[in-house]
Amino acid sequence: MTSEPSRAGAPSVLVFDEARISYRTRADELNVVPGFSLSIGRGEAVGLVGESGSGKSTLAFAAMGYLGHAGRLVSGRILFEGEDMAGLSAGELRALRGLRMAMVYQDPMSSLNPVMKAGAQLMEVPMRRLGLGRDEARERALAMLAEVEFADPASILERYPHQLSGGQQQRVVIAMALMSEPALLILDEPTTGLDVTVEAAVLDLIGALRHCHDSAILFISHNLGTVARVSDRIAVLYAGELVEEAPAGELFEAPRHPYTRALFNCLPGLARHAAIEGDPPSPGARPEGCAFAPRCAFAKPGPCTSEPIALRASGERRVRCVRLPELAPWTLPVPAATTARAEPPTDRILDVSKLTKAYRVGSPLFGLGEGSRRVQALDGVSLWAGRGETLAIVGESGSGKSTLAGIVAGLELGAEGVVRLNGVPVQHLKVEHRPEALRRGVQIVFQNPDGTLNPSHRVGYALARALRRLAGVERRRLPAEVARLLDLVRLPRAYAARKPRQLSGGEKQRVAIARALAGAPDLLIADEPVSALDLSVQAAIVNLLSELQEARGMTLLFISHDLALVRYLADRVAVMYRGRVMEFGPADEVFSPPFHPYTLTLLSSVTARAEGQSEGAGEGPEGATLAVGCPFHHRCPYKLGSICRDETPPSREAGAEHRIACHIPLGELAAIGASSEEHGEENRDAP
Amino acid sequence: MSTGSPILPPGAAGEPLPRTAELATLWRLLRSPVGALGLALVAFWVAVALFAPLIAPFEPNANDYLALADPTPSGVHWLGTDNLGRDIVSRLAWGARTVLVIVPIAVAAAYAIGCLMGLLAGYIGGWADTLLMRLSDVILSFPVIILYMIVLAHFGPSAINVILAVAFTAAPSVARIVRGLTLDLSNRPYVAAARLRGESPWYVMFVEILPNARGPLIVDGCLRMGYTTIAIGVLGFLGLGLPPDDPNWGGMVKDTYALMSVYPHMSLIPCGAITSLVIGFNLLADGLREVAGDE
Amino acid sequence: MFVFLSRRLLFLVATLLVVSFLVYLLNEAAPGDVARKILGPYATLEQIALLTEELGLNRSVFIRYGEWLGGLFTGDLGYSTLFKAPVGEIIWDRLANTALLAVIAFALIVPLSIVLGVAAGMRESAALDRSISLASIITTSIPEFASGVFLASIFAIWLGWLPGTSTLVRDGGWSITSQLVLPVAVMVLYDLGYVVRMVRASMADVMREPYIRTAVLKGLSWPEVVFRHALRNALIAPFTVILLQINYLVTGVVVVEMIFAYPGFGRMMLEAALAQDIALIEAGVVVAVFIAVSTQILGDLAYMILNPRVRLR
């Protein structure tokens, strides 16, 4: 594996040649990237996929010559347009940045200067770097904003970043990066943290821009699906090492490396019991030989664990695996059969009807009358779950799904409507005031693994306390019971002595699940339990939850923003948008036509167009509240007309237990659904 | 899943697992020059205060009239005597005891009240929050030094009054810090989990929330020890608060600064003492902050 | 904005009322004492009873507080028993003297703290940052009486360049200007470090923000990054802190005034407190609280103006 594998004809814009990158810490030097080679040709889009800690962002910043004080290129070279970046002076480097190379990264809100108007930030590149006058710079900014699909660029120029929605901010950042037509555009997780539909729009935009500009793109993401939508070629990174690189089509047709294959198996909705056990190694503790060997189903002690593994090239593909010739050809895992329950549930453990809740949101600093406005978190929400079922609530941020969970659990109080648990109305009871039996019956597994466990308490204490409070376990039996809980979530018993900071994200979530199960609840609420975890860890947690739900016959309320994730998990699905239930019904009915247009948006790539227009109209996902009309009307591609804006849509019965809130008659919805499913299939082949 | 910055990836620090966090913190503190110097200065004065009876060669209030002819440092009085012939080493040592007894008690009292106020305001919220924070605002809007002067001039000099005055004026600002931390921490899922298993508000406040606020509070406590040392010194210097006979560093300066042109050592030495102690507290706080930032 | 201002002004008035009443209550805790204080230890009981009657001291404390309040609105601040003169004649002179020190000190502290804080915070942990930070810690650690003694022993006694006292009387041939140097130096020395650390912390936070990285990766020069992108963001948080220093500089400088025998507001308050001169204490407290709360309001306003995120639409 020497020097760059040069692409036929096209001279390389960016070349990593055995780049080895380390960070100095107080204790010693951490080798984050042990040796990385990749080249990106002119106008080419290369996707770089890896989990957190895989070194992908390090590589991006290394390409920009921006590793900070602690980081450095230990050996190897990084060539930009043929020039060795290490040999550039600070001035020469500065001359490249912003003009020849530009970067967009995660969290657009914080990448824009909060006290400068968007226009001033956009115009900086042409004015300060290209030496253009104010008027000319303004012209350029306007043109570029129009190109990133803003309907009214002039108004965007005058806005401060906080006055833009997340999708708008990211489009401004992308426009800013393209102002000087750079030879290389690095996109580091540009859509992470954005809502699914907004993400789709931004991805489509990037795809479209590629064809009008001849910038090469390095697209970095933790998400294979995201990368696939914009890349010609994909490189998969594991623990700082390139494990596989291939043209996008080839890779999706037949991933070779066991890690790549495992990632494919983990893609939400594809299969059920395909989790990768364990966690990726931290840079300080990279194992000898193949870094993936400890988690690899095909690893063989000896060849896989002793020597560094070389990359093998065949055609346009490179793979780092010694056992490659012995591996069986890859087959797409067969989606597990939907676990359709034979008999319908006997009773409704949870029954929510016409639940409405509004917040007053003030200006955060002073909480005064003027800045505050009413936000309708929940607006007439009705849904239910049968005993022993899994109910999935799906929606983007601002849909009210977490508010709903909070009210069910008694963490906050609902304003109007009824929530019944086992037939008892509880919406007016805070958890502190609920009868003990009721309180024990509902537990939550939270989203953020970092906040879910108290950092001051050991795992053993957290579990013991839960056992005492929720199950009334006697003091002397506590250690045995704690051990039993740890076994249940497949954690070593010794973990009882650990503090949360000694656990990985997935392990923390397992402890949180154990804690919630201490009192054998009837209803377990899982509020986005995996959305903050790495893909390879997600599947294991989802599987665990699903198995425990089945084994214990408890009801699982699974909250997620990802419709695909819940597909094979849920018995019943509620799709929420801005505080309203758009569609509610048994899972197999929700996942087949007729669809609510919003469900369809979530399911397919129709999203992009719809989002593009609506965002251009200046409506963020948390826009104004509305008392009447359909909240989805200004993003809906199938909008009928003013009726959608002015009248609350009727709840149509699409089946015995299947409701769709839409003005469009069911027959038409079924037709729309059927036609787009055909399209969808095409897209689904390359997820 | 977020790897936005080129800073270290999560979980990168290969820290050995079992070892008490406190010991590790102390070790890192000692390795930072600033923190180690601060710790040394504070430890020095704590030792002096502890062993004051052994260190002080004379009674702190004993007048050596023979030395008044030449009160400068000599074989008998290593640092000389003051305007009344009292041995400066002895007064320094006993003065260290005065300040190192009053300051920790006053700060602890301020913390006890402030933590309770801040926790209640931040966790209970609503009217409790409004009431407590308005009250704090009123106290905080009052210039501290003027408040000390009025209160102590009125109630007369005594160590208890000084402690109460300091605690009364410092508690609201502790409360504000604790409230801010509580507001943040009470949104953590582990607090919701505690509520879901039916823990009482007191358990949540003192077992779930307060321990996680300790980092910033320890740093603030250290800084506050520094401020309070200055405040005690100032009160002594103004002749307020402490009984005139108790040796205290501020009072030593007050008694002698008029003689500065003749015998500068009399006021320079206690000034140096108090300054070194305050520097110690502040460097320690800085070191702790740096160490906390590493975690 | 309007609601905000009126709320804050309401709070200002409420605070003034509460605080002045509490002080009133404190001083009136023993009613007989007031007449005793005025007449001295050798007065007879009859004399005291007579004066108590004359001053209306045996009436309810609320009524007398109400009267005092009424006087406040007509500009009558009462009579100082210590200085044997109307309070109005004393307090404004003293306040003006203190304000002179405060203005000079403030004019030095603001630019110095911004320059030093920004220089330290723009490259965290660099040598410059470490030296400025350490120096700030040390200067704030020196109590004012100690730095007064240190500076006076160097510049007044050892070198003889400056006067050791600042009575604002041209005695000993020292000009008024030269008398102001040491008091101002002590105030600046004590206060500057604190503000520098605030500015530095804020600047360091801002320099870690992704939008600074954006600016750097746009290829802007270092001065452009610092001045165009970092500076304004970095000054938002410390601005309030800087304004609050006015408060300290006017009402918190008792020690400096004592050391240098400076006829200022703080020393007047100390003397009044020791002499239990109620009228003077009350007037001083009202002035002090007024300054404190109005600087707070000013700070909040400035914050709102500087930060577009909280600017009310």
Side-chain angles (χ1 to χ4, degrees):
Chain A
M1 48 178 217
T2 49
S3 81
E4 70 270 28
S6 60
R7 323 263 321 149
S12 294
V13 174
L14 179 70
V15 175
F16 290 97
D17 178 16
E18 277 303 293
R20 181 180 170 89
I21 302 166
S22 294
Y23 285 108
R24 257 194 329 276
T25 66
R26 223 160 254 263
D28 52 1
E29 188 150 325
L30 276 180
N31 185 217
V32 178
V33 176
F36 179 82
S37 297
L38 184 74
S39 81
I40 301 172
R42 196 157 298 284
E44 196 189 14
V46 174
L48 187 60
V49 183
E51 297 176 89
S52 56
S54 63
K56 56 192 191 303
S57 293
T58 299
L59 285 168
F61 285 105
M64 298 291 292
Y66 187 77
L67 279 173
H69 293 297
R72 69 189 181 98
L73 183 68
V74 182
S75 61
R77 292 181 305 163
I78 299 174
L79 305 174
F80 179 73
E81 297 191 308
E83 267 200 273
D84 192 342
M85 302 268 295
L88 296 179
S89 70
E92 288 169 320
L93 196 58
R94 194 163 73 74
L96 288 180
R97 289 176 182 159
L99 288 187
R100 301 299 298 155
M101 46 165 64
M103 184 164 176
V104 171
Y105 28 78
Q106 200 183 335
D107 193 8
M109 178 72 197
S110 61
S111 20
L112 291 169
N113 189 333
V115 303
M116 271 171 95
K117 288 180 179 166
Q121 301 191 50
L122 279 165
M123 283 150 63
E124 243 178 359
V125 173
M127 286 174 70
R128 311 228 149 219
R129 302 304 314 283
L130 301 172
L132 298 183
R134 169 164 290 275
D135 295 337
E136 215 174 329
R138 193 181 146 83
E139 285 308 307
R140 284 223 185 176
L142 285 173
M144 192 51 79
L145 284 178
E147 222 180 304
V148 295
E149 296 174 6
F150 278 110
D152 182 11
S155 83
I156 299 293
L157 286 186
E158 293 306 315
R159 294 202 208 169
Y160 285 101
H162 70 278
Q163 294 166 328
L164 302 168
S165 73
Q168 289 174 329
Q169 287 166 353
Q170 197 59 301
R171 296 215 300 275
V172 167
V173 175
I174 291 172
M176 202 155 78
L178 288 174
M179 284 306 272
S180 60
E181 299 277 337
L184 173 68
L185 174 63
I186 298 179
L187 300 156
D188 185 7
E189 303 263 12
T191 60
T192 307
L194 299 180
D195 272 328
V196 215
T197 50
V198 183
E199 170 173 33
V202 172
L203 287 178
D204 277 13
L205 173 67
I206 294 168
L209 289 173
R210 270 198 63 199
H211 301 293
C212 334
H213 301 265
D214 60 351
S215 303
I217 290 180
L218 177 61
F219 189 102
I220 295 172
S221 175
H222 65 278
N223 188 333
L224 259 178
T226 310
V227 167
R229 292 178 69 157
V230 287
S231 308
D232 303 321
R233 207 147 44 91
I234 294 177
V236 181
L237 204 60
Y238 185 80
E241 280 182 342
L242 183 73
V243 293
E244 182 161 3
E245 182 208 339
E250 273 186 48
L251 189 83
F252 273 82
E253 221 160 83
R256 291 269 176 82
H257 193 280
Y259 174 64
T260 321
R261 293 179 175 193
L263 276 186
F264 272 91
N265 292 346
C266 290
L267 280 180
L270 270 183
R272 227 174 131 180
H273 299 283
I276 315 178
E277 290 301 327
D279 291 298
S282 61
R286 195 179 288 113
E288 287 279 302
C290 173
F292 186 61
R295 303 173 72 192
C296 180
F298 312 101
K300 220 182 202 171
C304 289
T305 55
S306 53
E307 310 226 316
I309 318 285
L311 266 177
R312 300 177 183 203
S314 72
E316 290 196 73
R317 188 193 281 262
R318 295 188 294 159
V319 184
R320 193 188 296 273
C321 179
V322 271
R323 304 203 56 215
L324 196 56
E326 304 157 55
L327 292 182
W330 190 69
T331 48
L332 194 79
V334 187
T338 324
T339 47
R341 227 160 290 270
E343 77 279 22
T346 48
D347 60 338
R348 296 181 178 185
I349 184 170
L350 171 71
D351 195 344
V352 177
S353 85
K354 301 212 170 71
L355 194 67
T356 296
K357 165 137 184 154
Y359 287 109
R360 272 215 164 275
V361 179
S363 88
L365 188 70
F366 300 107
L368 308 171
E370 280 163 271
S372 72
R373 60 198 167 94
R374 254 168 73 91
V375 172
Q376 197 77 27
L378 294 175
D379 187 3
V381 168
S382 298
L383 46 82
W384 55 270
R387 187 173 301 281
E389 281 189 331
T390 297
L391 166 64
I393 298 183
V394 179
E396 295 171 280
S397 59
S399 64
K401 55 193 196 300
S402 293
T403 307
L404 178 64
I407 294 174
V408 169
L411 293 174
E412 48 190 301
L413 296 184
E416 290 157 50
V418 186
V419 177
R420 284 175 203 277
L421 280 173
N422 284 322
V424 185
V426 294
Q427 72 284 350
H428 57 286
L429 286 177
K430 254 196 167 174
V431 64
E432 281 84 359
H433 303 132
R434 290 187 178 184
E436 197 171 332
L438 203 59
R439 198 173 58 220
R440 286 180 177 182
V442 183
Q443 291 296 314
I444 302 187
V445 175
F446 297 93
Q447 171 176 12
N448 180 358
D450 292 325
T452 202
L453 300 179
N454 190 325
S456 306
H457 298 165
R458 291 183 194 282
V459 169
Y461 175 85
L463 295 180
R465 186 79 196 176
L467 283 164
R468 276 180 70 76
R469 300 290 309 187
L470 293 171
V473 173
E474 297 163 49
R475 201 171 283 276
R476 61 185 172 78
R477 282 182 44 235
L478 283 176
E481 288 293 300
V482 167
R484 188 185 61 80
L485 277 180
L486 286 171
D487 291 347
L488 193 67
V489 294
R490 294 187 208 115
L491 284 177
R493 292 184 172 192
Y495 273 38
R498 290 203 178 186
K499 287 264 180 89
R501 64 189 172 90
Q502 297 164 329
L503 304 180
S504 70
E507 288 167 343
K508 283 179 198 161
Q509 271 322 47
R510 284 172 192 266
V511 175
I513 292 170
R515 180 180 63 188
L517 293 178
D522 306 323
L523 175 64
L524 181 66
I525 302 174
D527 187 359
E528 299 256 16
V530 296
S531 66
L533 299 177
D534 271 324
L535 191 60
S536 76
V537 184
Q538 281 185 8
I541 298 288
V542 172
N543 286 348
L544 178 69
L545 274 171
S546 160
E547 282 165 31
L548 288 169
Q549 181 262 332
E550 269 170 39
R552 305 187 142 220
M554 66 182 175
T555 309
L556 181 63
L557 183 60
F558 194 95
I559 296 173
S560 177
H561 65 275
D562 189 345
L563 198 53
L565 182 68
V566 306
R567 186 161 195 168
Y568 298 102
L569 183 74
D571 301 303
R572 211 171 290 284
V573 176
V575 179
M576 289 183 67
Y577 184 73
R578 290 205 194 169
R580 300 239 193 119
V581 175
M582 309 306 272
E583 181 165 5
F584 173 62
D588 42 357
E589 290 183 40
V590 171
F591 282 98
S592 53
F595 299 114
H596 188 284
Y598 179 60
T599 313
L600 196 58
T601 303
L602 286 177
L603 276 174
S604 66
S605 52
V606 188
T607 53
R609 291 290 94 72
E611 174 63 20
Q613 287 155 8
S614 70
E615 288 264 317
E619 194 78 50
E622 284 166 44
T625 59
L626 68 169
V628 291
C630 174
F632 189 57
H633 77 266
H634 43 260
R635 286 173 62 183
C636 182
Y638 309 108
K639 183 181 170 184
L640 292 175
S642 60
I643 184 174
C644 292
R645 192 186 63 227
D646 301 332
E647 282 175 42
T648 304
S651 181
R652 299 182 189 275
E653 301 284 333
E657 294 177 341
H658 185 193
R659 285 184 282 120
I660 295 179
C662 187
H663 286 294
I664 306 173
L666 287 172
E668 277 179 46
L669 284 179
I672 294 169
S675 76
S676 76
E677 268 206 329
E678 282 164 29
H679 283 294
E681 286 309 314
E682 289 160 23
N683 289 339
R684 203 146 255 291
D685 288 341
Chain B
M1 195 144 31
S2 60
T3 47
S5 73
I7 316 303
L8 280 180
E15 201 182 321
L17 291 183
R19 183 152 53 117
T20 64
E22 289 72 21
L23 265 179
T25 305
L26 184 68
W27 177 239
R28 279 202 300 272
L29 184 66
L30 287 175
R31 293 213 314 188
S32 101
V34 168
L37 178 61
L39 194 63
L41 282 171
V42 173
F44 170 76
W45 284 114
V46 168
V48 169
L50 274 178
F51 303 112
L54 302 176
I55 293 170
F58 298 93
E59 282 294 305
N61 286 320
N63 309 80
D64 180 356
Y65 295 109
L66 294 176
L68 273 179
D70 178 18
T72 53
S74 66
V76 184
H77 301 288
W78 302 329
L79 294 176
T81 71
D82 68 3
N83 54 334
L84 299 175
R86 296 177 293 191
D87 180 57
I88 288 184
V89 172
S90 307
R91 289 184 71 74
L92 268 191
W94 286 98
R97 192 172 260 209
T98 307
V99 72
L100 283 170
V101 166
I102 292 181
V103 167
I105 294 179
V107 171
Y111 263 80
I113 303 167
C115 283
L116 189 64
M117 281 172 72
L119 282 169
L120 285 173
Y123 186 66
I124 307 287
W127 61 268
D129 188 21
T130 311
L131 186 77
L132 287 168
M133 284 304 113
R134 286 299 129 197
L135 188 72
S136 303
D137 283 346
V138 170
I139 298 175
L140 286 176
S141 63
F142 210 106
V144 177
I145 196 85
I146 290 183
L147 189 74
Y148 287 158
M149 292 188 320
I150 295 170
V151 172
L152 292 173
H154 192 82
F155 288 109
S158 91
I160 295 290
N161 286 349
V162 170
I163 289 172
L164 288 178
V166 170
F168 178 71
T169 49
S173 62
V174 175
R176 293 198 143 241
I177 298 171
V178 174
R179 175 179 175 270
L181 293 165
T182 304
L183 280 180
D184 175 27
L185 292 171
S186 56
N187 284 327
R188 300 290 163 94
Y190 55 78
V191 169
R195 291 177 59 198
L196 283 174
R197 58 173 193 262
E199 304 286 6
S200 72
W202 296 108
Y203 177 91
V204 173
M205 284 190 280
F206 285 95
V207 183
E208 298 284 345
I209 294 177
L210 195 56
N212 294 311
R214 67 177 187 274
L217 288 186
I218 289 172
V219 172
D220 174 75
C222 242
L223 288 174
R224 209 165 284 284
M225 298 273 252
Y227 298 148
T228 310
T229 306
I230 292 184
I232 304 287
V234 165
L235 289 176
F237 175 77
L238 296 178
L240 288 166
L242 293 168
D245 276 351
D246 286 6
N248 77 79
W249 296 344
M252 290 167 73
V253 181
K254 171 193 181 249
D255 294 339
T256 57
Y257 80 98
L259 297 170
M260 213 158 51
S261 51
V262 197
Y263 297 123
H265 74 277
M266 291 181 185
S267 38
L268 279 177
I269 290 168
C271 281
I274 190 166
T275 301
S276 68
L277 178 58
V278 179
I279 289 179
F281 280 130
N282 286 346
L283 291 183
L284 188 58
D286 205 55
L288 284 171
R289 199 195 331 255
E290 199 176 297
V291 164
D294 281 358
E295 278 179 10
Chain C
M1 184 68 121
F2 190 74
V3 177
F4 166 76
L5 260 185
S6 42
R7 265 201 192 205
R8 296 306 303 248
L9 288 176
L10 206 69
F11 175 70
L12 167 64
V13 173
T15 312
L16 282 176
L17 286 177
V18 171
V19 168
S20 61
F21 182 68
L22 286 178
V23 173
Y24 212 84
L25 218 56
L26 186 71
N27 277 290
E28 301 270 330
D33 283 352
V34 179
R36 166 72 71 191
K37 264 178 256 163
I38 296 172
L39 294 173
Y42 304 111
T44 62
L45 284 176
E46 287 78 33
Q47 286 172 310
I48 287 174
L50 198 70
L51 188 66
T52 305
E53 183 71 26
E54 205 174 298
L55 294 175
L57 291 175
N58 47 5
R59 286 174 304 147
S60 145
V61 80
F62 295 98
I63 295 175
R64 281 179 291 122
Y65 176 69
E67 279 176 5
W68 175 81
L69 214 57
L72 196 64
F73 283 110
T74 57
D76 174 17
L77 297 175
Y79 186 81
S80 162
T81 51
L82 173 69
F83 292 92
K84 311 279 187 253
V87 169
E89 283 179 17
I90 306 153
I91 195 165
W92 302 121
D93 276 358
R94 296 299 195 101
L95 206 57
N97 287 346
T98 298
L100 178 64
L101 285 187
V103 165
I104 302 172
F106 193 66
L108 289 168
I109 288 171
V110 174
L112 277 176
S113 63
I114 293 176
V115 168
L116 291 173
V118 166
M122 83 188 172
R123 286 191 208 271
E124 217 183 339
S125 299
L128 186 65
D129 176 29
R130 288 193 182 277
S131 352
I132 293 178
S133 295
L134 193 65
S136 329
I137 291 181
I138 289 173
T139 54
T140 36
S141 299
I142 311 176
E144 298 143 290
F145 64 82
S147 54
V149 165
F150 293 147
L151 291 183
S153 51
I154 296 172
F155 293 101
I157 296 163
W158 185 35
L159 298 172
W161 290 352
L162 292 165
T165 55
S166 314
T167 51
L168 294 186
V169 180
R170 309 200 77 208
D171 58 43
W174 294 106
S175 69
I176 301 290
T177 319
S178 67
Q179 294 186 15
L180 295 179
V181 175
L182 282 181
V184 167
V186 170
M187 288 160 75
V188 171
L189 203 60
Y190 182 65
D191 203 36
L192 182 64
Y194 174 72
V195 187
V196 167
R197 288 169 75 189
M198 288 289 162
V199 176
R200 180 232 167 239
S202 174
M203 183 72 184
D205 281 348
V206 166
M207 293 306 288
R208 278 194 292 265
E209 290 286 337
Y211 57 79
I212 294 301
R213 193 167 64 191
T214 306
V216 172
L217 294 185
K218 257 185 200 173
L220 298 182
S221 67
W222 186 248
E224 282 172 328
V225 171
V226 170
F227 290 106
R228 281 181 61 86
H229 286 272
L231 193 62
R232 185 164 160 205
N233 282 295
L235 288 186
I236 292 175
F239 201 84
T240 317
V241 174
I242 290 178
L243 278 179
L244 287 181
Q245 301 316 306
I246 296 176
N247 193 13
Y248 156 76
L249 293 174
V250 176
T251 60
V253 290
V254 192
V255 175
V256 175
E257 294 176 0
M258 287 295 288
I259 287 241
F260 296 103
Y262 187 85
F265 177 78
R267 230 179 84 197
M268 178 199 79
M269 287 301 285
L270 179 66
E271 287 162 2
L274 290 173
Q276 308 266 303
D277 183 347
I278 314 145
L280 198 51
I281 294 176
E282 274 290 3
V285 163
V286 167
V287 168
V289 172
F290 179 81
I291 293 171
V293 180
S294 30
T295 44
Q296 269 173 26
I297 297 178
L298 219 60
D300 289 345
L301 272 180
Y303 186 86
M304 284 161 71
I305 291 165
L306 277 172
N307 190 347
R309 267 178 290 192
V310 294
R311 208 179 289 165
L312 300 176
R313 288 156 287 246

